[in-house]
């Protein structure tokens, strides 16, 4: 009988990457189609992998030969039986278009990707994909399950791909897992964060504790239809930036490897390029940063606005008896030369559900909305409903956007 094996890896992020395949080539050679690449068989392939008690599954592979080193996106694919005919996403789309469709999924592809040739794929994310593929009932999850894993490689169009450069699959590796039941829900919105010399205290401190100090979350867009399976979609941030100090976007505060980030290279905004530089604006002033996590597009555009600059900001609600005079938020942007419009407050609502609003003295103006944990407050809007818990509350007084980040 096979031994149950727990993969206790150090990094717990959605996807944690260790080393790049090769550096990108700055010249302009012709990108050719590749025909194969090799997924190495993991050392643990002979063991039963305990998915519930594993942090991640470690894989390594070779880079496809496109004629020269090029940044490539790698996704994992998991099959029930070694066939990769119809994916879960393909079948779901077909049934949405035609409820009578009889397509049956035999594999699932990860939504996240990596650009390197070595990665720890998060075990919880893989288990959710197994649940999507097999559709187990809560009381009918098998003790063990054989699965077949391969990688799918694609070159983004921004790196020279065209319809003639097709994605390719690696060889297949057989694994045995001990799965568990996961209740599938709509994915939480994928939030990204700003960090840099002109963000917060300017200290570039990449940690969870630095949220609201050195790190500022981007905001959701009111009315945007975020992908229910991935949580991906459009995020935005409006604030004051200074030209002398750069910034970047990060996906996971506290990720010491800065695995998922946006920067600048050769005048273009790039994601996950180890050689990227800080993003800088052309002149001091207000800018709108917009990131679409589904299409992987980033823009930074000047904002022709002259917002009020408040010396302080209050927060009030059931939690403090609607005291409108004494509960002050803390300014986040403290770098010299940066006008502050972002405020933070640690809200203890562990005693039960509550409601809150943001306000200036005398309630003029005040901001509220019905969204939680993200939303966009409007002048004299409704009270914001807050589920019991402890939160770091961050509010942008230019746009009215707010985030309640669970602690």
């Amino acid at each position: 009988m096979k031994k149950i094996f727990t993969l206790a890896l150090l990094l717990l992020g959605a996807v944690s990457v260790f080393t790049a395949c090769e550096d990108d080539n700055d010249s302009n050679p012709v990108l050719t189609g590749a025909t194969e690449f090799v997924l190495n068989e993991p050392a643990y392939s002979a063991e039963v992998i305990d998915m519930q008690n594993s942090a991640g599954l470690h894989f390594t592979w070779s880079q496809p030969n496109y004629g020269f080193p090029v940044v490539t996106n790698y996704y994992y694919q998991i099959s029930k039986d070694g066939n990769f005919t119809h994916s879960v996403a393909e079948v779901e789309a077909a049934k949405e278009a035609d409820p009578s469709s009889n397509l049956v999924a035999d594999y699932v592809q990860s939504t996240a990707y990596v650009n390197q040739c070595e990665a720890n794929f998060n075990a919880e994310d893989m288990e959710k994909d197994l649940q999507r593929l097999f559709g187990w009932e809560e009381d009918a999850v098998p003790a063990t399950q054989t699965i077949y894993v391969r990688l799918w490689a694609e070159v983004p169009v921004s790196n020279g791909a065209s319809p003639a450069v097709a994605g390719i699959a690696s060889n297949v590796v057989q694994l045995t897992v001990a799965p568990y039941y996961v209740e599938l829900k709509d994915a939480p919105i994928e939030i990204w964060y700003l960090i840099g010399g002109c963000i917060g205290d300017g200290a570039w401190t990449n940690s969870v504790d630095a949220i609201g100090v050195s790190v500022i979350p981007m905001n959701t867009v009111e009315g945007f239809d975020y992908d229910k399976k991935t949580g991906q979609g459009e995020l935005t941030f409006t604030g004051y930036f200074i030209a002398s100090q750069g910034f970047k976007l990060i996906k996971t505060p506290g990720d010491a490897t800065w695995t998922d980030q946006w920067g600048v290279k050769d005048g273009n905004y790039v994601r996950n390029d180890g050689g990227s530089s800080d993003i800088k604006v052309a002149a001091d002033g207000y800018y709108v940063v917009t990131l679409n996590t589904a299409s992987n597009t980033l823009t930074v555009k000047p904002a022709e606005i002259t917002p009020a600059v408040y010396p302080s900001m209050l927060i009030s609600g059931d939690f403090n008896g609607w005291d409108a005079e004494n509960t002050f938020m803390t300014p986040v942007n403290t770098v010299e030369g940066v006008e502050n419009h972002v405020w933070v407050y640690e809200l203890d609502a562990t005693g039960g559900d509550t409601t809150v609003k943001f306000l200036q003295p005398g309630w003029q103006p005040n901001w509220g909305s019905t969204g939680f944990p993200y939303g966009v407050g409007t002048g004299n809007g409704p009270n914001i409903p807050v589920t019991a818990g402890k939160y770091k509350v961050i509010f942008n007084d230019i746009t009215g956007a707010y985030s309640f980040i669970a602690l």
Side-chain angles (χ1 to χ4, degrees):
M1 180 178 179
K2 292 184 177 179
K3 177 182 177 184
I4 299 290
F5 187 67
T6 299
L7 297 175
L9 299 173
L10 296 177
L11 300 180
L12 304 181
V15 176
S16 300
V17 181
F18 284 89
T19 181
C21 306
E22 298 179 64
D23 293 333
D24 195 4
N25 192 322
D26 290 330
S27 61
N28 294 300
V30 177
L31 181 65
T32 60
T35 58
E36 63 180 3
F37 70 107
V38 177
L39 172 62
N40 300 317
E41 185 169 343
Y44 55 82
S45 61
E47 309 292 343
V48 177
I49 304 162
D50 183 353
M51 296 298 288
Q52 190 163 16
N53 294 303
S54 294
L57 278 66
H58 183 212
F59 292 94
T60 62
W61 57 93
S62 65
Q63 185 181 40
N65 182 9
Y66 292 109
F68 64 95
V70 62
V71 174
T72 306
N73 296 343
Y74 299 98
Y75 304 81
Y76 66 72
Q77 297 180 339
I78 303 174
S79 168
K80 292 180 177 180
D81 53 13
N83 294 310
F84 295 82
T85 309
H86 299 297
S87 71
V88 169
E90 178 186 355
V91 170
E92 289 175 344
K95 290 187 181 298
E96 185 174 342
D98 179 7
S100 66
S101 171
N102 58 5
L103 287 184
V104 177
D106 54 21
Y107 79 97
V108 63
Q109 177 172 300
S110 63
T111 54
Y113 62 85
V114 297
N115 298 126
Q116 288 77 13
C117 293
E118 180 177 359
N120 297 327
F121 293 113
N122 182 271
E124 183 178 0
D125 290 342
M126 295 186 81
E127 184 62 33
K128 290 178 181 178
D129 284 332
L130 289 175
Q131 181 68 41
R132 291 178 62 206
L133 178 61
F134 287 94
W136 293 307
E137 297 295 332
E138 186 171 5
D139 57 353
V141 180
T144 63
Q145 178 69 53
T146 299
I147 61 173
Y148 301 83
V149 181
R150 73 180 187 182
L151 293 183
W152 181 257
E154 293 180 353
V155 177
V157 173
S158 60
N159 285 307
S162 70
V165 182
I168 61 169
S170 74
N171 57 298
V172 177
V173 171
Q174 180 177 320
L175 300 175
T176 303
V177 298
Y180 63 98
Y181 178 76
V182 177
E183 185 173 354
L184 298 177
K185 302 177 181 179
D186 288 354
I189 296 174
E190 182 181 305
I191 299 296
W192 282 66
Y193 300 78
L194 293 94
I195 186 171
C198 58
I199 303 298
D201 64 2
W204 289 91
T205 304
N206 182 4
S207 71
V208 174
D209 291 341
I211 297 174
V213 181
S214 299
V215 178
I216 299 176
M218 297 190 71
N219 302 120
T220 55
V221 176
E222 197 78 352
F224 192 92
D225 187 15
Y226 293 89
D227 191 290
K228 291 180 174 55
K229 298 182 182 66
T230 65
Q232 295 176 338
E234 189 167 289
L235 304 173
T236 186
F237 175 81
T238 301
Y240 193 90
F241 295 80
I242 53 177
S244 62
Q245 298 291 333
F247 67 97
K248 284 193 169 186
L249 304 184
I250 56 173
K251 181 180 178 183
T252 310
D255 178 5
T257 64
W258 291 62
T259 300
D260 245 335
Q261 62 167 284
W262 278 87
V264 169
K265 185 174 183 181
D266 299 330
N268 298 311
Y269 300 126
V270 293
R271 178 180 176 181
N272 298 340
D273 189 308
S276 68
S277 302
D278 303 344
I279 300 169
K280 289 188 175 182
V281 296
D284 296 358
Y286 290 97
Y287 290 82
V288 179
V289 181
T290 304
L291 172 67
N292 190 304
T293 58
S295 61
N296 276 309
T297 53
L298 173 66
T299 61
V300 181
K301 297 182 177 180
E304 301 300 326
I305 56 176
T306 308
V309 179
Y310 299 108
S312 63
M313 184 63 61
L314 292 154
I315 183 171
S316 184
D318 295 324
F319 73 97
N320 67 354
W322 289 100
D323 182 349
E325 298 180 359
N326 299 302
T327 309
F328 288 90
M329 303 185 76
T330 302
V332 174
N333 286 314
T334 57
V335 173
E336 184 177 356
V338 177
E339 294 181 354
N340 179 67
H341 293 277
V342 183
W343 308 86
V344 63
Y345 179 77
E346 287 198 10
L347 173 65
D348 187 348
T350 52
D353 295 352
T354 186
T355 56
V356 305
K357 295 189 84 170
F358 308 103
L359 66 147
Q360 283 293 290
W363 292 95
Q364 295 298 325
N366 68 82
W367 297 264
S369 183
T370 58
F372 179 83
Y374 310 110
V376 179
T378 57
N380 296 314
N383 299 339
I384 301 168
V386 180
T387 302
K390 196 170 185 178
Y391 303 94
K392 188 166 284 190
V393 185
I394 299 180
F395 173 64
N396 186 317
D397 66 40
I398 300 176
T399 61
Y402 56 84
S403 303
F404 286 73
I405 301 170
L407 297 175

